[in-house]
Amino acid sequence: RKLRMSQLKRNSRILDWFVDILASLLQAVGVWCFIEPCKIAPGGASGMALLINHVTGLPVGTLTLVINIPLIASFLLLDRKMTLRTVRTLVIMTVCLDWVVAPILPQYVGDRLISSAFGGILAGAGVALIFTRGSTTGGGDIMGKLLQKQFPWMRTGYAIMLVDFVIIGISIPVFGGLEDALYGIISMVCSTQTIDAILYGMNKGTMVLVASKHNRQIAGDIMSQLGRGTTFFKSVGGFSQKESETLMCVVDRKQFYEVKGIIDRWDRNAFVVVSEAKEIYGEGFLDDPRSAAEMEKAAG
C-alpha cells in the first residue's frame, strides 16, 4: 500500500508540472498574441503588468512575477501550501511568456473584438487548468482573498471582480480611452466564462423540485418516458405543518420542457422550483471521479 501511495504521489507531482507548463503556455499565448497588441488590461496582475509594459517596455512576464512578490508574502498568512504552488506556477508562467512565446510567436493585429475575446478565452483556459491542480496565478486571486480577509462579509468572487475593475479603470488614462476599458471588460468576461466552463464542466443539467399531490404519478412518467431517476424527500409545510413528499429529479437541459409538460398534465397547480445543476455525476451522467480524487488526496 505504501508503494502504491508513493507512486500516486509521484504521478500527482508530474501531473502538476505538466498542467502548469500547458496552462502557462495557453495563458502566455492569450496575453502575448492577443491581449498585449490589443492594448487592454483585463484585470489581475497580468493586466497591471500590461499597463506598466505600455509605459516602460519591460517584459510582461517578469513584471507579473515582480508584482506578485509582495502579494505572495501576504498570501503566506492565508495558505502556505497554495503559496508554494503559486510561486512555482508564476515562475513557469514567466519563463513561458518572456522566453518561449514572446520570442517565437507573432502577435495578432486584426479586429480588437476578436483579439480581446480570444485572448480572454485562452488566458481563462490556462487559469482554470491551474486551479484544477490546487494552485493560483496570483494577482487578482490573492488581492481578492486579502480584501475578503479585511471585509469578511464580501464574497470572494465580488472581491476579485472589484480588484479587476479597479485595474481596468486605471487602464483608461494609461491607454488613453474608454473604449480600451470596454474591450478589457469583454476580455475579462470571456476569461471568466471559460474558467467556469472548465471548472464546472460542460455537463450542466436542470434540477427540478416538485410539491404536488400527484408526485408519485409525475415521478412514474418521468422515469418511464425520459428514463431519469427520481427521489422523494419527506417535508413539512411551514404554514400548514402538514407532512408531505417533495419530488426531486435531475435531467438534461433539453429534457426540461418534457418534465414541465408531465407536471402540467398531472397538476397545473403544483409548486415547482427549477435550478441549474453545474455538474452531475452518477448513473446516466458522467462517471463519478471522486474515487480517483480521494486516492490522489490520500497520496498527497
Side-chain angles (χ1 to χ4, degrees):
R1 178 179 174 81
K2 288 183 178 180
L3 182 62
R4 173 64 174 168
M5 291 298 101
S6 177
Q7 181 67 35
L8 286 172
K9 191 173 183 179
R10 183 165 56 252
N11 291 343
S12 178
R13 287 176 177 172
I14 294 173
L15 184 59
D16 283 345
W17 278 91
F18 174 78
V19 171
D20 263 353
I21 293 172
L22 175 62
S24 296
L25 287 172
L26 285 173
Q27 189 172 38
V29 171
V31 171
W32 173 255
C33 297
F34 294 97
I35 295 177
E36 199 280 334
C38 195
K39 301 305 177 186
I40 59 175
S46 59
M48 184 62 71
L50 287 168
L51 292 176
I52 299 174
N53 167 264
H54 181 72
V55 176
T56 65
L58 295 173
V60 177
T62 303
L63 285 171
T64 303
L65 181 61
V66 171
I67 290 170
N68 273 296
I69 289 175
L71 296 175
I72 291 171
S74 299
F75 201 34
L76 285 168
L77 301 173
L78 301 176
D79 191 326
R80 294 180 182 274
K81 185 175 182 181
M82 187 177 289
T83 299
L84 295 176
R85 290 183 174 183
T86 299
V87 171
R88 181 193 64 207
T89 298
L90 287 171
V91 171
I92 294 175
M93 286 174 55
T94 301
V95 172
C96 287
L97 180 55
D98 288 347
W99 285 282
V100 178
V101 172
I104 299 176
L105 297 184
Q107 293 181 312
Y108 175 77
V109 291
D111 186 88
R112 293 187 77 192
L113 180 60
I114 295 176
S115 186
S116 58
F118 270 89
I121 291 171
L122 289 171
V127 171
L129 289 176
I130 288 169
F131 284 170
T132 63
R133 302 307 301 171
S135 184
T136 75
T137 58
D141 306 330
I142 296 178
M143 286 188 281
K145 289 181 181 295
L146 292 172
L147 186 62
Q148 187 191 36
K149 190 174 183 180
Q150 294 298 318
F151 305 98
W153 50 267
M154 185 179 295
R155 295 183 181 180
T156 302
Y158 291 154
I160 294 174
M161 186 179 296
L162 178 61
V163 172
D164 288 340
F165 273 114
V166 169
I167 295 173
I168 290 174
I170 296 173
S171 72
I172 296 176
V174 174
F175 289 133
L178 178 61
E179 187 177 79
D180 302 300
L182 296 178
Y183 278 118
I185 293 174
I186 291 174
S187 183
M188 183 183 70
V189 170
C190 290
S191 177
T192 301
Q193 292 300 313
T194 302
I195 291 171
D196 285 346
I198 293 176
L199 291 182
Y200 297 112
M202 301 301 291
N203 189 47
K204 293 182 180 179
T206 301
M207 183 175 69
V208 184
L209 298 175
V210 185
S212 168
K213 295 179 180 179
H214 301 281
N215 273 350
R216 294 285 174 174
Q217 293 89 334
I218 293 171
D221 282 357
I222 291 175
M223 289 186 288
S224 62
Q225 295 178 25
L226 304 181
R228 292 299 182 187
T230 58
T231 302
F232 292 99
F233 296 103
K234 293 292 183 181
S235 56
V236 179
F239 178 77
S240 66
Q241 295 298 307
K242 292 182 179 180
E243 292 188 0
S244 60
E245 288 183 330
T246 299
L247 167 66
M248 184 196 78
C249 67
V250 180
V251 297
D252 288 336
R253 286 177 292 180
K254 60 181 178 291
Q255 293 179 314
F256 167 67
Y257 284 103
E258 295 179 74
V259 173
K260 188 174 183 295
I262 292 173
I263 296 171
D264 289 343
R265 190 161 58 244
W266 282 103
D267 185 359
R268 286 188 172 275
N269 295 317
F271 182 75
V272 182
V273 178
V274 182
S275 60
E276 182 184 57
K278 286 287 189 180
E279 194 166 4
I280 313 162
Y281 301 112
E283 186 174 354
F285 294 94
L286 289 177
D287 292 335
D288 191 344
R290 288 170 293 181
S291 57
E294 288 170 357
M295 291 182 67
E296 183 177 305
K297 184 178 179 180

